[in-house]
Amino acid sequence: MKFASYLVKGQPSYGVIREDGSVVDLRSRIGQDFPSLLILLQCEAISVAREAAEAADIGDYKETELEYLPLFAEPVTIHCIGLNYAAHAAEAGHKLPEFPRTFVKIPAALVAHREKFEKPTLSPEYDFEGELAVIIGKGGRNISAANAMKHVAGYTCFMDGSVRDYQFQRTTDQGKNFYRSSSIGPALVTVDEVGDLNALTLTTIVSGETMQHTKFDNLIFTVPKLIEYLSGITELRIGDVIATGTPEGVGFSRQPPRFLQHGDVVEVVIEKVGALRNTVA
């Protein structure tokens, strides 16, 4: 199933996006018990949502009528992983990491699918990073890699906007948290629909030009290993996001560098997960 949060006719809601592009609105059907997508996950009620969606003969809206929101209206923790592909570590001038490099992104740094990025005024070095994001569906501490996939609700696309001079000359957190510089979405796609991650590819396209392309079997630290590592440090909660890192091909490593400019369109395309599209303003 593909779950999305959105505005429709000016009102916040959430629902299931069908293959034909129609949307079954869940707030109007089960919203009395589960008023948001995050609460639906927290109540372990995906089966209820599935029944409601399958009972609908036709969708309530067309996907084109939606104004997407980031997956959850409520704040969640966004864990990000750096240098998780060998070729990207090499282009950045780093050795292969012995353990995951982590940082946190604040919700204010994110926009939704089809919303506009805000190009930073303090720096010309606004860069792109296409990534797969994992959504936690069952919380916990000290989760073993062997049991980690039982804690995953699904996946979505992620664009980790990075302001390189702030990242490299000051701190990673500053460079990764400029206002409305990153994006997430369009939808949370459940694990059963995605299947084997290792067989899938990620592609990042900037204004029609392919910049990044990889398979997920190139990850240094797999999704189960990342969950094991992070849950040893802190409690993972339902709705938390783990952005798994970007492959080679980012803008700062190119000759000459290719930083994002006003009007650029950034697309992060992941097989079976979706296509996240934003324009730089």
Side-chain angles (χ1 to χ4, degrees):
M1 300 183 74
K2 294 184 178 181
F3 293 98
S5 297
Y6 49 80
L7 293 175
V8 63
K9 298 180 179 179
Q11 297 299 313
S13 192
Y14 73 103
V16 171
I17 302 175
R18 291 175 160 178
E19 289 187 8
D20 63 2
S22 65
V23 181
V24 177
D25 188 73
L26 292 178
R27 188 177 175 93
S28 63
R29 287 174 165 77
I30 57 175
Q32 182 174 353
D33 296 319
F34 314 108
S36 72
L37 178 55
L38 182 60
I39 293 173
L40 181 84
L41 294 182
Q42 290 172 339
C43 294
E44 300 181 359
I46 285 181
S47 61
V48 178
R50 189 183 301 275
E51 290 176 5
E54 291 176 349
D57 294 329
I58 60 173
D60 301 293
Y61 307 105
K62 295 179 181 179
E63 187 273 341
T64 52
E65 296 180 74
L66 306 182
E67 182 180 341
Y68 281 90
L69 299 171
L71 293 183
F72 306 116
E74 306 89 338
V76 296
T77 301
I78 305 156
H79 300 277
C80 298
I81 309 301
L83 304 179
N84 202 17
Y85 291 85
H88 176 55
E91 73 178 354
H94 294 277
K95 297 179 180 179
L96 292 184
E98 297 180 11
F99 51 86
R101 303 285 187 90
T102 72
F103 59 93
V104 174
K105 192 176 289 284
I106 60 175
L110 292 180
V111 298
H113 175 55
R114 297 200 294 242
E115 286 192 296
K116 291 184 177 181
F117 293 130
E118 291 193 11
K119 185 178 182 297
T121 58
L122 296 177
S123 168
E125 298 186 5
Y126 178 33
D127 206 348
F128 54 87
E129 294 190 5
E131 306 190 15
L132 171 80
V134 177
I135 312 301
I136 297 298
K138 179 182 178 182
R141 286 283 328 272
N142 299 312
I143 302 164
S144 70
N147 291 321
M149 293 307 297
K150 297 176 183 179
H151 292 257
V152 176
Y155 308 100
T156 195
C157 304
F158 197 83
M159 206 300 277
D160 179 19
S162 305
V163 181
R164 297 302 188 185
D165 50 357
Y166 274 72
Q167 177 187 354
F168 297 147
Q169 299 170 17
R170 304 188 188 195
T171 68
T172 297
D173 284 341
Q174 289 182 32
K176 296 288 191 174
N177 280 293
F178 270 66
Y179 184 65
R180 296 175 67 88
S181 62
S182 302
S183 60
I184 190 170
L188 186 166
V189 184
T190 53
V191 171
D192 61 321
E193 186 159 332
V194 173
D196 180 16
L197 270 183
N198 286 338
L200 305 183
T201 61
L202 175 150
T203 305
T204 306
I205 304 165
V206 178
S207 295
E209 182 179 357
T210 297
M211 297 292 186
Q212 298 177 287
H213 184 74
T214 193
K215 290 184 68 175
F216 291 117
D217 61 2
N218 290 321
L219 284 167
I220 298 171
F221 303 104
T222 63
V223 170
K225 286 293 186 182
L226 293 176
I227 291 173
E228 180 178 67
Y229 184 79
L230 288 167
S231 68
I233 297 170
T234 188
E235 179 187 12
L236 291 178
R237 298 181 178 182
I238 294 173
D240 282 356
V241 176
I242 302 174
T244 57
T246 201
E248 72 276 11
V250 296
F252 85 87
S253 68
R254 295 175 173 270
Q255 295 299 328
R258 175 58 166 97
F259 294 119
L260 296 174
Q261 306 299 326
H262 172 73
D264 275 333
V265 177
V266 184
E267 298 171 272
V268 179
V269 182
I270 302 176
E271 288 182 283
K272 295 189 178 183
V273 175
L276 172 64
R277 187 177 190 271
N278 302 92
T279 301
V280 179

